[in-house]
């Protein structure tokens, strides 16, 4: 295996990889050629991600596995399902998208994750974790129903396997005895010990045709001897269990093989070829190294999970650099909203021993790193288990604790029933800090937080707040925390306008809006802005000499402020970074209807469509939610 310590500046020479327009050509290659393809694939992956930015470490870790899978399976006839998709960049390169990889995650370019509309090799669209096994099982059952000799393989990581959904699929697959191959990409040593020679040898023996033939033939012979078949089964199971963590998966109905070295390409190819022809549920456990082959990523797999694109003037003179160089001179760094939350959490925990912090595997993303170190006994990372995170918080609240659940907007969708049934119905005191609300950018429609105001606003008794800036975010978190019931604060990804956050923990009053500008008599237009859109709203209000009302609270609405705005203006414009359907603007409409107030209303928000990937500024402009788009919509209505 070729090792790298720099990211190539120019496109590397990849003569063999360049001949692969489809994976079919891999199946005619010998071991030496496959090894060369893997080296070239790793070099090209480093180059392309350096140009575009994007997910990094996971793809480097599955280069050999990806080559082996496409060599052993008859893709796309055989179905290959990737979980999440962070590790699918090598798959995209091998399946006809090599030269388009530098456009990945960019507006109009390739998607960040596998997408059915992008390639026939992308059998299932993903973005959220732990969906691959259920989808692959559905494909396997469809093949059986139609009598097709199609094989289905799902690749899932050890982190994704922590989710309950994955185990639900494993249990069902064993029950229906489906022809499903599950490949566990284990790169964290969370399940097994290091790979050893004995484990690799066992994998080779247990998947070989002589062994499987003998195994099946022996079963037929032993079936005539009372108790002998069960004795043989248990002997094989205990032999595996002595040197591999087979018992759990065997009990679920899978034939377990491994763990094997996920970077030993000949072993992977031979094992996968053998397992492809085995009947029933099969489970292959491979050990990989995240960031394999790129030394800085091997040393820091978390830091190199993803990188931003490397500008030419940021590269070393020798031709490469693992990360952008630091700019010269002092830089005033604005706080991200997640940093505001992280600081608030630690400050509040310091004065209230009842506070408990909970995250579903998003410690770094939600900025709970400092909290986890300063208050380890009050910090719970429940892994990729959003439903459990919410109900765990409910249980804590039942015992007079003060749980705070830090979760992304799209991930809270996965715990929606628990939010309703376990928290809201019982009016339990749980605070939800909802990060990544609105358009998050390059990760696209699976990660845009475009629905949360709609799905939260309809829940009885739930307070929903949205800050316009960093100072409001801190004050709203305090308000939600002190509210004696369920409350949520939703804030966007990245930085805010740069407003300094106070050191105190004083809360904002819930349900009280703020007049930021009073318009002139000639315009008689009031802009009612929720959360992040207060920025462009302020600019538009100046252009049109309109009134600007920072609503702050989605539920409850400031009734008096809305009615005053309706009385004093001819047109109310609601603005939100959420879909219009059922969102904050709908709440304003409902209030006016209930009060019998007749006034013109224009609801502006995200469209009734899944917004594609791109930079947030590009996407807001596309949706008409930048200052120019908002102004144009208002002028069109006034005309």
């Amino acid at each position: 295996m070729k090792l790298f310590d720099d990211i190539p500046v120019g496109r590397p020479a990849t003569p063999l990889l360049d001949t692969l327009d489809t994976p079919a050509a891999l199946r005619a290659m010998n071991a030496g050629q496959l090894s060369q393809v893997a080296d070239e694939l790793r070099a090209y992956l480093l180059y392309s991600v350096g140009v575009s930015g994007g997910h990094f470490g996971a793809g480097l870790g599955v280069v050999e596995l990806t080559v082996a899978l496409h060599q052993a399976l008859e893709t796309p006839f055989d179905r290959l399902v990737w979980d999440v998709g962070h590790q699918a960049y090598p798959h995209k390169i091998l399946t006809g998208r090599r030269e388009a990889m530098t456009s990945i995650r960019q507006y109009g370019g390739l998607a960040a994750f596998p997408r059915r509309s992008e390639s026939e090799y992308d059998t299932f669209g993903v973005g959220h974790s732990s969906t691959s096994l259920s989808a692959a099982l559905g494909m396997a059952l469809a093949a059986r129903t139609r009598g097709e000799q199609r094989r289905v393989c799902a690749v899932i990581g050890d982190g994704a396997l922590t989710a309950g959904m994955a185990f639900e699929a494993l249990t069902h697959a064993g029950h229906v005895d489906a022809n499903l191959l599950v490949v566990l990409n284990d790169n964290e040593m969370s399940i097994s010990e290091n790979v050893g020679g004995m484990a690799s040898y066992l994998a080779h023996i247990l998947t070989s045709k002589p062994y499987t033939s003998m195994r099946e033939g022996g079963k037929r012979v032993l079936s005539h001897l009372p108790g002998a078949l069960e004795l043989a089964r248990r002997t094989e199971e205990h032999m595996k269990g002595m040197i591999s963590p087979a018992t759990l998966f065997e009990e679920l109905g899978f034939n377990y093989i491994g763990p094997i070295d996920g970077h030993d390409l000949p072993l992977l190819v031979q094992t996968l070829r053998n397992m492809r022809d085995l009947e029933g549920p099969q489970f292959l456990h491979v050990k990989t190294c995240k960031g394999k082959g790129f030394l800085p990523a091997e040393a820091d797999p978390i830091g190199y999970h993803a990188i931003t694109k490397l500008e030419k003037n940021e590269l070393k003179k020798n031709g490469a650099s693992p990360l952008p160089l630091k700019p010269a001179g002092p830089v005033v760094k604005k706080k991200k909203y997640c940093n505001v939350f992280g600081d608030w959490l630690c400050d509040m925990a310091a004065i209230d021993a009842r506070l408990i912090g909970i995250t579903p595997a998003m410690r770094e993303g939600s900025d709970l790193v400092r909290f986890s170190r300063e208050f380890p006994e009050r910090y719970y990372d429940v892994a990729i288990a959003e439903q459990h995170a919410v109900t765990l918080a409910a249980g804590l609240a039942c015992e007079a604790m003060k749980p705070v659940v830090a979760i992304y907007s799209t991930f809270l969708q996965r715990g929606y029933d628990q939010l309703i049934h376990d928290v809201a119905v019982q009016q339990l005191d749980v605070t939800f800090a909802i990060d990544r609300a609105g358009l998050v950018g390059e990760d696209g429609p699976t990660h845009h937080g475009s629905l949360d105001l709609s799905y939260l606003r309809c829940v009885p008794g739930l307070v929903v707040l949205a800050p316009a800036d960093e100072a409001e975010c801190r004050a709203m978190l305090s308000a939600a925390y002190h509210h004696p019931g369920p409350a949520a604060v939703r804030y966007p990804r990245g930085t805010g306008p740069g407003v300094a956050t106070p050191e105190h923990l004083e809360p904002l009053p819930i349900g009280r809006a703020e007049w930021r500008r009073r318009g002139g008599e000639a315009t008689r237009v009031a802009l009612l802005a929720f959360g992040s859109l207060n920025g462009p709203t302020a600019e538009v209000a100046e252009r049109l000499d309109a009134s600007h009302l920072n609503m702050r609270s989605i539920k409850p609405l400031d009734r008096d402020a809305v009615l005053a705005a309706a009385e004093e203006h001819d047109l109310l414009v609601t603005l939100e970074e959420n879909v219009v359907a059922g969102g904050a603007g709908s709440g304003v409409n409902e209030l006016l209807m209930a009060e019998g107030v007749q006034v013109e209303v224009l609801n502006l928000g995200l469209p009734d469509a899944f917004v594609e990937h791109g930079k947030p500024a590009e996407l807001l402009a596309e949706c008409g939610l930048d200052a120019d788009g908002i102004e144009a919509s208002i002028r069109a209505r006034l005309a």
Side-chain angles (χ1 to χ4, degrees):
M1 177 190 298
K2 184 177 180 180
L3 301 179
F4 299 83
D5 57 11
D6 289 316
I7 295 177
V9 176
R11 190 194 190 287
T14 55
L16 197 53
L17 181 66
D18 292 346
T19 67
L20 298 174
D21 293 324
T22 69
L26 288 170
R27 294 160 207 150
M29 290 183 175
N30 59 38
Q33 290 173 312
L34 290 176
S35 178
Q36 181 180 338
V37 167
D39 285 342
E40 292 180 7
L41 179 57
R42 183 168 277 111
Y44 187 82
L45 177 62
L46 286 166
Y47 159 73
S48 63
V49 177
V51 172
S52 65
H55 297 108
F56 193 67
L60 290 170
V62 296
V63 165
E64 288 78 18
L65 177 60
T66 306
V67 172
L69 284 166
H70 280 294
Q71 204 278 344
L73 299 175
E74 298 288 336
T75 55
F77 177 76
D78 288 340
R79 307 306 195 206
L80 178 57
V81 183
W82 296 93
D83 204 279
V84 184
H86 292 152
Q87 73 274 46
Y89 285 24
H91 160 80
K92 289 187 180 239
I93 294 171
L94 290 177
T95 53
R97 289 165 280 182
R98 180 181 60 251
E99 301 307 323
M101 285 299 294
T102 53
S103 73
I104 200 165
R105 303 175 79 243
Q106 297 176 28
Y107 188 72
L110 293 181
F113 306 101
R115 176 178 290 186
R116 283 168 54 83
S117 61
E118 191 175 283
S119 170
E120 63 178 333
Y121 293 91
D122 291 0
T123 59
F124 195 72
V126 291
H128 288 187
S129 168
S130 315
T131 63
S132 61
L133 302 188
S134 297
L137 178 57
M139 295 174 188
L141 294 177
R144 184 166 75 183
T145 300
R146 291 197 294 255
E148 298 171 340
Q149 295 302 308
R150 187 193 306 277
R151 295 294 168 162
V152 181
C153 174
V155 184
I156 187 169
D158 55 313
L161 198 64
T162 63
M165 183 178 179
F167 280 92
E168 291 171 11
L170 288 173
T171 301
H172 188 208
H175 176 70
V176 297
D177 198 32
N179 285 342
L180 174 66
L181 170 59
V182 175
V183 177
L184 172 60
N185 173 29
D186 179 4
N187 58 25
E188 293 292 342
M189 292 189 65
S190 60
I191 294 178
S192 67
E193 299 296 330
N194 281 324
V195 176
M198 180 59 74
S200 298
Y201 175 74
L202 179 67
H204 177 73
I205 293 299
L206 294 180
T207 62
S208 66
K209 291 189 182 298
Y211 174 83
T212 54
S213 298
M214 180 183 69
R215 184 172 182 252
E216 295 305 314
K219 282 183 178 180
R220 289 192 292 272
V221 173
L222 293 174
S223 63
H224 300 292
L225 303 177
L229 185 61
E230 176 63 16
L231 176 62
R233 186 191 70 80
R234 288 186 175 275
T235 300
E236 179 188 50
E237 176 182 305
H238 290 308
M239 181 182 69
K240 289 181 180 179
M242 285 190 293
I243 52 177
S244 66
T247 306
L248 170 63
F249 303 109
E250 294 276 6
E251 289 298 325
L252 290 173
F254 281 78
N255 176 44
Y256 173 93
I257 303 297
I260 67 172
D261 184 353
H263 303 293
D264 186 335
L265 188 52
L267 176 63
L268 283 170
V269 168
Q270 187 61 51
T271 303
L272 286 166
R273 280 178 180 171
N274 292 341
M275 295 190 77
R276 182 189 183 279
D277 296 326
L278 298 180
E279 296 293 315
Q282 307 295 322
F283 195 101
L284 174 62
H285 184 172
V286 302
K287 292 284 295 180
T288 62
C289 173
K290 194 171 183 178
K292 185 67 174 178
F294 183 56
L295 300 180
E298 289 188 33
D300 183 15
I302 294 177
Y304 281 87
H305 172 69
I307 64 170
T308 57
K309 68 178 181 179
L310 308 180
E311 303 296 340
K312 289 183 179 179
N313 61 358
E314 294 172 328
L315 299 173
K316 291 180 180 177
K317 291 181 180 179
N318 66 1
S321 173
L323 281 179
L325 303 179
K326 294 180 180 179
V331 175
V332 179
K333 187 176 180 181
K334 292 197 295 186
K335 273 189 177 182
K336 296 180 179 179
Y337 278 101
C338 64
N339 304 145
V340 174
F341 165 73
D343 291 342
W344 170 85
L345 190 68
C346 291
D347 294 344
M348 186 62 76
I351 65 171
D352 190 345
R354 299 172 299 163
L355 186 150
I356 304 291
I358 301 171
T359 179
M362 287 291 118
R363 184 182 75 152
E364 286 77 18
S366 294
D367 197 20
L368 277 80
V369 175
R370 178 185 155 205
F371 180 83
S372 68
R373 293 170 180 166
E374 294 184 9
F375 304 94
E377 73 287 352
R378 290 193 269 159
Y379 166 73
Y380 295 99
D381 183 340
V382 302
I384 301 173
E386 294 86 358
Q387 295 174 325
H388 170 61
V390 176
T391 303
L392 174 68
L396 287 162
C398 286
E399 300 301 321
M401 303 304 287
K402 296 278 287 182
V404 178
V405 180
I407 192 167
Y408 291 6
S409 171
T410 54
F411 296 163
L412 184 56
Q413 293 165 188
R414 309 183 85 176
Y416 189 54
D417 179 61
Q418 288 67 31
L419 170 68
I420 296 169
H421 182 274
D422 299 336
V423 176
V425 168
Q426 303 183 86
Q427 282 295 291
L428 293 174
D429 191 357
V430 177
T431 300
F432 293 92
I434 304 175
D435 196 356
R436 269 62 168 182
L439 299 176
V440 299
E442 291 85 348
D443 284 344
T446 57
H447 284 63
H448 292 320
S450 56
L451 307 174
D452 54 75
L453 293 186
S454 300
Y455 72 69
L456 293 174
R457 198 176 65 80
C458 62
V459 178
L462 178 65
V463 166
V464 185
L465 308 174
D469 54 50
E470 300 89 335
E472 281 195 353
C473 185
R474 182 175 173 94
M476 284 182 182
L477 287 165
S478 294
Y481 185 78
H482 291 301
H483 175 70
V489 180
R490 60 102 72 171
Y491 44 88
R493 181 183 187 180
T495 59
V499 176
T501 54
E503 294 186 3
H504 64 74
L505 292 166
E506 293 298 317
L508 275 178
I510 292 173
R512 188 180 301 173
E514 171 202 26
W515 286 100
R516 291 199 164 183
R517 189 182 192 281
R518 294 283 185 171
E521 287 295 322
T523 306
R524 294 186 61 80
V525 174
L527 310 181
L528 282 59
F530 294 86
S532 57
L533 288 191
N534 273 280
T537 296
E539 186 176 343
V540 174
E542 290 291 337
R543 294 181 189 179
L544 299 178
D545 193 19
S547 298
H548 175 190
L549 185 60
N550 172 20
M551 293 300 297
R552 288 179 170 169
S553 180
I554 293 89
K555 187 176 184 181
L557 286 169
D558 187 336
R559 173 183 175 276
D560 294 339
V562 172
L563 294 181
E567 182 178 351
E568 298 169 12
H569 300 84
D570 298 328
L571 173 65
L572 304 187
V573 183
T574 66
L575 302 108
E576 60 191 302
E577 201 170 334
N578 186 85
V579 293
V580 172
S586 295
V588 172
N589 300 346
E590 292 161 12
L591 188 154
L592 295 171
M593 289 283 288
E595 296 289 340
V597 175
Q598 294 188 356
V599 64
E600 285 289 320
V601 180
L602 173 61
N603 298 134
L604 298 181
L606 298 177
D608 186 22
F610 290 107
V611 179
E612 294 298 325
H613 56 279
K615 294 185 181 301
E618 295 172 327
L619 301 179
L620 285 170
E622 180 187 274
C623 296
L625 294 179
D626 62 345
D628 290 340
I630 293 169
E631 180 183 4
S633 295
I634 295 172
R635 289 191 183 279
R637 172 57 68 91
L638 292 174

